[in-house]
Amino acid sequence: MIGIVMFAAALFMLLLGFPVAFTFGAVAVIFGFIYGLSEAWDYAQGFEILTEAFEDMSRQFFSLMPNRIYSIMENQLLISVPLFILMGMILQKTRLAERLLESMAFLFGGVRGGVAISTVLVGALLAATTGIVGATVIAMGVISLPVMMKYGYDKPLATGTIAAAGTLGQIIPPSIVLIILGDILSVSVGDLFSAAVIPGLVLVGFYVIYIAIISYICKDYAPPVPPLEGLSKSKQIFIALKNVVPVLVLILLVLGSIFAGIATPTESSSVGCLGAIALAVLYRTFSFRLIYDALKNTAKISGMVFMILMGATAFSMIFSYTGGDEVVKNFMENLPGQAWGFIALTMVVIIVLGFFLDYVEISYIILPILLPIVESLHINPVWFAILIAVNLQTSFMTPPFGFSIFFLKGVTPPQIHTTDIYKGVLPFILLQILVLLTLAIFPGVFGLKAFLG
């Protein structure tokens, strides 16, 4: 039971506020020594040779850890992670979100809920370019929220829309989550990107329909915004297209090259970086200072991701060697309903862990343990990965520790309370769970028949 106690100790340390990467790394080392000591005690013939036996086992045990970590750093697929982050950072500094929100507000501001609908559509476009949840939520919170507050939008509806739209980068390609899932589950990232497009668009459609319905029923929740004076409708459309079309071209270059089989995700991420620089030049915001700041922020975020990755990998390795994975496997394989019982419990566990952990930790700690069970139950890994991606997106909004809630609260004015955000995200969480259930029961509706064989 060392592995189970180890998992509980890690969660307890996280609740105390210790850094995630160092928590998992430290717990792995400590419990690795405990396991080595217990094994040495079993095999030693007497107390006098206990130390020697313990040293031999520890040397063999921990010699595997550097090799495992080094293999991660040699993984060519993971090169795309910092490159996609760099692309998002460059686009963030070109004021892309502001330009897109202004353009969409021109087109939809005259209808009830128009600014909220614009926020969702911009969130989808930003998801397909930047893919960085924190940056997207903060940008739209700074730009879109004051406009909605100015025209009397309901506070929960406004904040919930921004938090939900910001999380679309978790499922809409090119998603870093999908890259990580592809690496862990040994699935083609191109297949995951293709499989995630329709679920992502369906989620966007659900958001828009919900906003339209609630705005129609409760007319005071989202009043229309008066059109700008001095600009004709044709001029507004021209301005909107001028800001939207270059972004669509970039999305086509990045995703189209992957779907067409012209480029790998790593190669397309470098194309995306060049495209982001081209947009910066087009929007006249390019400078070497912009590139320097983008590279510095990319290094910080990438360093955080890979430190968590290494700590989580060490944790999962020790967890497996102590027999914890066998305990989990035996339990999961004997659930009622077999594959369906396993999937149901897995989704519930990931939602619960999403209250406390980030998607990187959940992916690299939980999935390596579940992968042998997925294979033994003959569950399609592409379908399973998309289910997890949608689930992880939900975890970004689940109170009380949803990361989108924290990001948004950091830029909201004093009159908006945390309870307003909690109330606002609940309908969108229910919509995401609805999409998750539909995707689990009717995967063919989402165009996954080709991947399910």
Side-chain angles (χ1 to χ4, degrees), residues 114-279:
V115 179
I117 293 173
S118 301
T119 301
V120 172
L121 296 178
V122 170
L125 289 173
L126 292 176
T129 50
T130 64
I132 303 173
V133 172
T136 303
V137 171
I138 291 171
M140 292 195 295
V142 170
I143 301 164
S144 180
L145 186 58
V147 176
M148 288 192 272
M149 291 297 96
K150 177 181 178 181
Y151 291 100
Y153 267 61
D154 178 66
K155 289 187 286 187
L157 176 62
T159 54
T161 299
I162 293 172
T167 63
L168 290 171
Q170 296 295 99
I171 184 65
I172 295 179
S175 165
I176 294 174
V177 173
L178 295 176
I179 296 172
I180 291 175
L181 293 178
D183 175 56
I184 297 172
L185 299 175
S186 299
V187 177
S188 167
V189 174
D191 287 347
L192 290 183
F193 281 3
S194 300
V197 170
I198 294 179
L201 294 178
V202 168
L203 205 52
V204 172
F206 274 40
Y207 289 174
V208 171
I209 292 171
Y210 164 71
I211 294 169
I213 292 174
I214 198 69
S215 301
Y216 178 79
I217 296 175
C218 305
K219 294 181 169 50
D220 294 335
Y221 273 26
V225 176
L228 294 176
E229 297 182 1
L231 284 178
S232 64
K233 189 66 176 178
S234 59
K235 182 68 173 177
Q236 293 179 13
I237 294 175
F238 174 76
I239 294 173
L241 290 176
K242 186 174 70 172
N243 288 324
V244 172
V245 168
V247 177
L248 294 177
V249 171
L250 178 61
I251 294 171
L252 182 63
L253 287 174
V254 174
L255 297 183
S257 61
I258 298 175
F259 296 158
I262 300 173
T264 66
T266 303
E267 293 166 344
S268 69
S269 63
S270 61
V271 173
C273 290
L274 292 176
I277 294 173
L279 283 183

Side-chain angles (χ1 to χ4, degrees), residues 73 76 266 392 416 429-430 442:
M73 307 314 294
Q76 293 187 4
T266 303
L392 289 174
I416 292 181
I429 292 174
L430 294 176
F442 306 107

Side-chain angles (χ1 to χ4, degrees), residues 111-442:
V111 300
R112 294 188 182 279
V115 179
I117 293 173
S118 301
T119 301
V120 172
L121 296 178
V122 170
L125 289 173
L126 292 176
T129 50
T130 64
I132 303 173
V133 172
T136 303
V137 171
I138 291 171
M140 292 195 295
V142 170
I143 301 164
S144 180
L145 186 58
V147 176
M148 288 192 272
M149 291 297 96
K150 177 181 178 181
Y151 291 100
Y153 267 61
D154 178 66
K155 289 187 286 187
L157 176 62
T159 54
T161 299
I162 293 172
T167 63
L168 290 171
Q170 296 295 99
I171 184 65
I172 295 179
S175 165
I176 294 174
V177 173
L178 295 176
I179 296 172
I180 291 175
L181 293 178
D183 175 56
I184 297 172
L185 299 175
S186 299
V187 177
S188 167
V189 174
D191 287 347
L192 290 183
F193 281 3
S194 300
V197 170
I198 294 179
L201 294 178
V202 168
L203 205 52
V204 172
F206 274 40
Y207 289 174
V208 171
I209 292 171
Y210 164 71
I211 294 169
I213 292 174
I214 198 69
S215 301
Y216 178 79
I217 296 175
C218 305
K219 294 181 169 50
D220 294 335
Y221 273 26
V225 176
L228 294 176
E229 297 182 1
L231 284 178
S232 64
K233 189 66 176 178
S234 59
K235 182 68 173 177
Q236 293 179 13
I237 294 175
F238 174 76
I239 294 173
L241 290 176
K242 186 174 70 172
N243 288 324
V244 172
V245 168
V247 177
L248 294 177
V249 171
L250 178 61
I251 294 171
L252 182 63
L253 287 174
V254 174
L255 297 183
S257 61
I258 298 175
F259 296 158
I262 300 173
T264 66
T266 303
E267 293 166 344
S268 69
S269 63
S270 61
V271 173
C273 290
L274 292 176
I277 294 173
L279 283 183
V281 174
L282 179 66
Y283 292 142
R284 298 180 181 179
T285 56
F286 177 82
S287 67
F288 288 105
R289 180 69 187 181
L290 179 147
I291 300 298
Y292 171 77
D293 290 340
L295 287 170
K296 184 171 69 174
N297 290 333
T298 299
K300 289 180 180 178
I301 296 175
S302 300
M304 177 194 70
V305 169
F306 281 95
M307 282 299 297
I308 293 173
L309 194 158
M310 287 188 290
T313 300
F315 181 91
S316 63
M317 188 187 78
I318 303 298
F319 185 83
S320 298
Y321 276 104
T322 57
D325 59 334
E326 288 298 321
V327 175
V328 174
K329 183 178 180 181
N330 292 334
F331 175 75
M332 289 289 198
E333 288 181 340
N334 290 294
L335 286 171
Q338 293 188 329
W340 284 110
F342 165 73
I343 290 173
L345 182 59
T346 299
M347 295 300 111
V348 172
V349 168
I350 291 177
I351 286 178
V352 173
L353 290 177
F355 285 90
F356 311 102
L357 302 178
D358 196 0
Y359 66 92
V360 180
E361 302 98 78
I362 294 175
S363 299
Y364 276 100
I365 293 171
I366 301 300
L367 292 188
I369 300 171
L370 300 180
L371 182 57
I373 309 172
V374 172
E375 294 172 348
S376 67
L377 294 175
H378 306 291
I379 297 172
N380 185 277
V382 174
W383 174 57
F384 187 67
I386 300 300
L387 288 175
I388 291 175
V390 175
N391 198 333
L392 289 174
Q393 180 186 354
T394 305
S395 71
F396 266 78
M397 293 194 298
T398 46
F401 302 116
F403 286 93
S404 289
I405 295 173
F406 287 149
F407 291 140
L408 182 57
K409 180 56 183 173
V411 295
T412 55
Q415 63 266 31
I416 292 181
H417 305 289
T418 305
T419 52
D420 294 324
I421 305 177
Y422 286 169
K423 293 177 184 177
V425 298
L426 286 178
F428 293 97
I429 292 174
L430 294 176
L431 289 174
Q432 288 184 325
I433 293 175
L434 176 62
V435 171
L436 181 63
L437 290 173
T438 308
L439 181 63
I441 300 172
F442 306 107

